[in-house]
């Protein structure tokens, strides 16, 4: 009887371990899901079975992470996560930084900044952190000047100087690439620019510097950052395999490794 009980306990432990080894990770398609799929087999060999769930909506990805529907997500930078925590009372944390996707200003109507005319319409993301990031980019480009205390959550109300009297159309970040024909220029996040066939360094009128604080991370709910499965995932993504993938696929700097 004792032997049977011991065997049953061992079987139960094995089943439990198998269940714990599964990891649901939400991600935007490019480059996040591509990177996850690249390390999927490597992680499986270590006993970690990741299920990659592709979505394009940052908001839904964080809602699902907070609710426990996802174990981790890979789609956002630190300022966006911190803004979500503050706005919604969420408990998301950074489990590890992977890469930077420089944001850029694109246009199908002009080929250089100096060609932008007065009262030109610029599309920018409508969420607080990416909207602020876009405005900081436009300030770095010399198109506007923000109030000194504006910071990374700047809004259009923080614009102190606007010599060209530029107009701003605030839109969902994922939809902005589709508006390029309807506006004079648009600030587009890297993970939406890449699927739209846009290269920051080739097509961008102005590109964010490589010292950007907007590192894309593996995010988890607080308390799970030391989960062995999560640590294995971060280690796999901070590998030479991913570094080589980035340097080979994104030769024009659309994605830059941050490790």
């Amino acid at each position: 009887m004792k032997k049977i009980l011991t065997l049953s306990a061992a079987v139960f432990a094995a089943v439990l371990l198998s269940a714990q080894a599964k990891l649901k990770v939400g991600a935007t398609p490019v480059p996040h899901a591509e990177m996850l799929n690249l390390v999927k087999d490597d992680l499986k060999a270590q006993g970690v079975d990741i299920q990659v769930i592709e979505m394009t909506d940052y908001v839904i990805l964080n809602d699902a992470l907070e609710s426990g529907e996802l174990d981790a997500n890979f789609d956002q930078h630190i300022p966006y996560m911190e803004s979500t925590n503050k706005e919604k009372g969420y408990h998301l944390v950074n489990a590890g930084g992977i890469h930077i996707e420089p944001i850029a200003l694109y246009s199908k109507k002009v080929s250089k900044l100096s060609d932008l005319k007065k009262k030109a319409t610029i599309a920018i993301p409508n969420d607080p952190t990416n909207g602020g990031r876009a405005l900081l980019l436009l300030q770095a480009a010399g198109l506007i000047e923000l109030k000194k205390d504006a910071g990374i959550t700047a809004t259009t109300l923080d614009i102190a100087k606007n010599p060209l009297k530029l107009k701003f159309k605030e839109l969902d970040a994922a939809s902005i690439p589709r508006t390029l024909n309807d506006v004079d220029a648009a600030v587009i996040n890297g993970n939406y620019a890449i699927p739209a066939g846009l290269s920051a360094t080739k097509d961008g009128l102005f590109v964010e510097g490589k010292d950007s604080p907007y590192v894309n991370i593996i995010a988890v709910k607080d308390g799970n950052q030391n989960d062995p499965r999560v640590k294995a995932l971060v280690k796999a993504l901070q590998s030479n395999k991913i570094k080589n993938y980035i340097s080979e696929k994104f030769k024009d700097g659309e994605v830059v490794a941050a490790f």
Side-chain angles (χ1 to χ4, degrees):
M1 178 65 75
K2 186 177 180 181
K3 192 175 286 185
I4 292 171
L5 288 173
T6 303
L7 182 61
S8 297
V11 171
F12 177 75
V15 171
L16 183 61
L17 182 62
S18 174
Q20 288 176 335
K22 291 182 181 178
L23 196 70
K24 287 186 178 181
V25 187
T28 46
V30 183
H32 305 86
E34 286 188 0
M35 290 185 190
L36 290 169
N37 286 320
L38 273 176
V39 300
K40 199 171 185 179
D41 289 342
D42 300 330
L43 286 165
K44 197 162 190 177
Q46 298 173 46
V48 180
D49 185 12
I50 64 167
Q51 181 183 352
V52 181
I53 301 165
E54 293 190 26
M55 302 182 195
T56 58
D57 192 316
Y58 299 145
V59 175
I60 293 174
L61 279 162
N62 276 345
D63 291 346
L65 184 56
E66 176 70 17
S67 70
E69 293 174 59
L70 295 174
D71 299 305
N73 69 29
F74 185 29
D75 66 289
Q76 65 191 315
H77 49 63
I78 296 169
Y80 184 85
M81 180 191 71
E82 290 176 342
S83 173
T84 299
N85 284 342
K86 186 176 180 180
E87 179 187 341
K88 296 190 171 184
Y90 283 1
H91 309 86
L92 311 182
V93 296
N94 170 20
I98 312 301
H99 68 278
I100 295 166
E101 296 166 19
I103 203 166
L105 179 67
Y106 298 91
S107 176
K108 287 192 174 180
K109 297 186 177 178
V110 300
S111 57
K112 53 183 186 292
L113 282 176
S114 58
D115 289 339
L116 279 174
K117 297 179 181 178
K118 281 195 171 184
K119 297 184 179 180
T121 299
I122 313 285
I124 64 172
N126 63 3
D127 63 89
T129 49
N130 285 308
R133 186 182 184 186
L135 292 172
L136 288 170
L137 179 79
L138 297 176
Q139 176 173 253
L143 294 173
I144 62 171
E145 188 176 318
L146 298 169
K147 296 173 184 175
K148 289 182 180 179
D149 60 347
I152 62 172
T153 56
T155 72
T156 52
L157 297 175
D158 294 307
I159 297 174
K161 292 182 182 179
N162 184 2
L164 291 177
K165 301 189 187 309
L166 299 172
K167 298 177 182 177
F168 298 94
K169 185 176 279 191
E170 299 177 69
L171 304 168
D172 176 69
S175 70
I176 293 181
R178 299 192 295 272
T179 71
L180 267 178
N181 290 321
D182 305 317
V183 295
D184 296 294
V187 179
I188 304 176
N189 289 67
N191 61 314
Y192 296 132
I194 295 165
L198 298 168
S199 163
T201 51
K202 283 185 177 180
D203 305 310
L205 299 180
F206 191 83
V207 185
E208 185 177 53
K210 290 184 180 180
D211 58 346
S212 166
Y214 296 90
V215 178
N216 278 232
I217 60 171
I218 289 293
V220 297
K221 196 166 183 180
D222 194 13
N224 295 329
Q225 56 268 47
N226 293 317
D227 185 318
R229 300 169 301 164
V230 172
K231 283 187 168 292
L233 174 60
V234 171
K235 186 175 180 180
L237 290 171
Q238 292 177 341
S239 65
N240 285 332
K241 185 174 191 176
I242 294 300
K243 192 171 278 188
N244 292 336
Y245 157 80
I246 289 172
S247 62
E248 288 169 13
K249 178 155 187 178
F250 304 105
K251 295 178 180 178
D252 295 314
E254 304 97 322
V255 177
V256 181
F259 55 89

